[in-house]
Amino acid sequence: MLICSNFEGADMKPKRINKRFTFVIIPDANSSVRRFEVPKLIPYLAAGGLCGLIALTLTLSVLHSQASRTASQLQSRVVNQDAMYTTTVQQKDETIEQLQNELIQLSKQTSEMKTKIDDIRKLEDEVRTLTGSNKTAALAESASGTPAMGGSSHPVTQDEVKDTLEQTKSLLSGMDKEVSELKNSIASSKETAMVARQKLRVTPSIWPVDSRTLTSGFGLRQDPFTFRPSFHSGYDISAPFNSKVYATADGIVQSTGSDANHGNNIVLSHADGLRTWYMHLNKINVEKGDEVQKGQVIGYVGSTGRSTGNHLHYEVLKNGVSVDPKPYLSYAP
């Protein structure tokens, strides 16, 4: 039992209030009473300290709560920023990869365009060769279908990307100049081809009949009637009766006629002093002065005049002199 009092003396007379507190402890009936005196200021200090401790605890609790909220907000912001950063980095990586793929495609297309330009140049050389140029040409063979691919996968490095970019820029720069030169060259080749085409039109260069059966060539032979050596001034081409006879070049009908040696015959006049002569015809399809086109039907095969059977005597004359028709015939034997 604890009793606190601030009075002293048995007579219980009022005295001046003591500035001390007396604490009396009574354990039980058989134990002695214990007294403790403490200065009056101590309880107040204890109470004040307790109140201060409570206030400090509350303050610390509020500060802790605020700190926790702030930390949570900061953590949330960090998570959001990290997510945004991750997304940004991922988008950047995807963009870089896309640009790298586009660069690869551009490089591939540039290389293909370069190959096509080279093929055009080769084709131009071929055209020049066909039209009389001294250049030689060989057309490149192109592979068909999807090309087979394989190999290990290695990430692209910056140096590789840079090298590819520089090569592509160099190719594009060179191609610009090549295309300009090629344009002028093709224009020149076109003009040359047109001249050559026109020249080809007026130059005897096709077979006068569909048959390719040559029964007598140009030069010395045994005469089919006298069996004596003689000079044959053209080609005898065996063909069925009434087979079509074609003009071997653009020209003008110089003459048509019939006699005992040549039978029904036609003479065409062409450019550069060339003439062609068609003999032993069954029928003549043109008249003197007519303009004829290469491949036009001018008559039909027969066996008129000095002839042993149905055939066409075809002759080429250069400045009035009979020459071998072979250089003027495609696929001549």
Side-chain angles (χ1 to χ4, degrees):
M1 181 176 179
L2 175 63
I3 297 176
C4 178
S5 174
N6 60 348
F7 294 97
E8 292 182 354
D11 54 3
M12 303 296 291
K13 291 181 180 181
K15 292 184 178 180
R16 183 176 53 87
I17 296 175
N18 199 337
K19 293 183 180 181
R20 289 177 175 273
F21 280 102
T22 301
F23 292 93
V24 178
I25 299 175
I26 306 175
D28 51 46
N30 299 321
S31 300
S32 60
V33 177
R34 297 180 181 178
R35 295 187 180 193
F36 296 95
E37 291 184 0
V38 295
K40 188 178 182 180
L41 186 60
I42 293 300
Y44 294 105
L45 291 176
L50 180 61
C51 291
L53 181 61
I54 293 172
L56 179 61
T57 302
L58 292 175
T59 300
L60 291 176
S61 177
V62 171
L63 291 176
H64 176 71
S65 177
Q66 291 179 347
S68 297
R69 286 199 302 270
T70 302
S72 178
Q73 292 174 355
L74 289 176
Q75 184 177 7
S76 178
R77 290 177 61 183
V78 168
V79 170
N80 292 335
Q81 290 292 334
D82 183 66
M84 291 177 60
Y85 174 76
T86 301
T87 302
T88 302
V89 170
Q90 183 177 359
Q91 291 176 347
K92 180 181 177 182
D93 291 341
E94 291 175 355
T95 302
I96 291 175
E97 184 176 352
Q98 181 181 356
L99 291 175
Q100 289 176 344
N101 287 331
E102 290 177 356
L103 175 60
I104 291 172
Q105 290 299 320
L106 177 61
S107 177
K108 181 179 178 181
Q109 291 173 1
T110 303
S111 298
E112 290 174 352
M113 183 61 68
K114 173 67 175 174
T115 301
K116 290 179 180 179
I117 290 177
D118 291 340
D119 288 344
I120 292 174
R121 286 194 177 277
K122 293 175 183 178
L123 182 60
E124 183 192 14
D125 289 343
E126 181 74 10
V127 171
R128 287 181 179 274
T129 300
L130 294 175
T131 55
S133 172
N134 292 328
K135 289 184 179 180
T136 58
L139 293 176
E141 297 180 358
S142 58
S144 60
T146 304
M149 297 182 182
S152 302
S153 177
H154 298 285
V156 177
T157 65
Q158 285 296 111
D159 289 340
E160 290 172 340
V161 172
K162 184 177 180 181
D163 290 342
T164 302
L165 181 59
E166 290 299 324
Q167 292 173 5
T168 303
K169 288 169 62 179
S170 177
L171 279 175
L172 288 174
S173 178
M175 283 169 54
D176 184 59
K177 182 179 179 181
E178 283 192 60
V179 168
S180 179
E181 293 175 351
L182 192 58
K183 181 179 178 181
N184 295 331
S185 181
I186 289 177
S188 175
S189 296
K190 179 182 177 182
E191 184 177 353
T192 302
M194 290 178 67
V195 172
R197 179 184 177 187
Q198 182 58 32
K199 184 175 181 180
L200 187 63
R201 290 288 308 175
V202 298
T203 301
S205 60
I206 64 173
W207 281 76
V209 288
D210 293 327
S211 172
R212 299 293 184 271
T213 304
L214 189 64
T215 55
S216 185
F218 178 83
L220 296 178
R221 70 169 183 174
Q222 187 180 53
D223 187 277
F225 289 95
T226 66
F227 301 105
R228 298 177 63 181
S230 66
F231 180 81
H232 191 233
S233 58
Y235 274 3
D236 283 346
I237 308 170
S238 178
F241 181 73
N242 267 346
S243 296
K244 294 177 181 178
V245 176
Y246 309 105
T248 56
D250 289 357
I252 298 175
V253 179
Q254 182 176 324
S255 66
T256 62
S258 181
D259 59 59
N261 286 324
H262 307 115
N264 297 327
N265 64 94
I266 303 170
V267 177
L268 301 182
S269 177
H270 311 286
D272 299 327
L274 289 173
R275 286 185 295 166
T276 52
W277 200 350
Y278 310 80
M279 304 179 191
H280 309 300
L281 302 174
N282 177 56
K283 181 181 178 181
I284 296 174
N285 224 32
V286 293
E287 297 180 356
K288 182 179 179 179
D290 287 350
E291 292 186 3
V292 295
Q293 302 295 318
K294 194 171 194 173
Q296 179 180 332
V297 177
I298 59 174
Y300 298 90
V301 171
S303 185
T304 59
R306 193 171 185 267
S307 170
T308 61
N310 296 316
H311 77 286
L312 172 71
H313 175 92
Y314 175 68
E315 196 165 323
V316 177
L317 299 94
K318 176 73 172 178
N319 297 323
V321 179
S322 296
V323 296
D324 189 350
K326 183 174 182 179
Y328 295 94
L329 293 176
S330 301
Y331 313 108

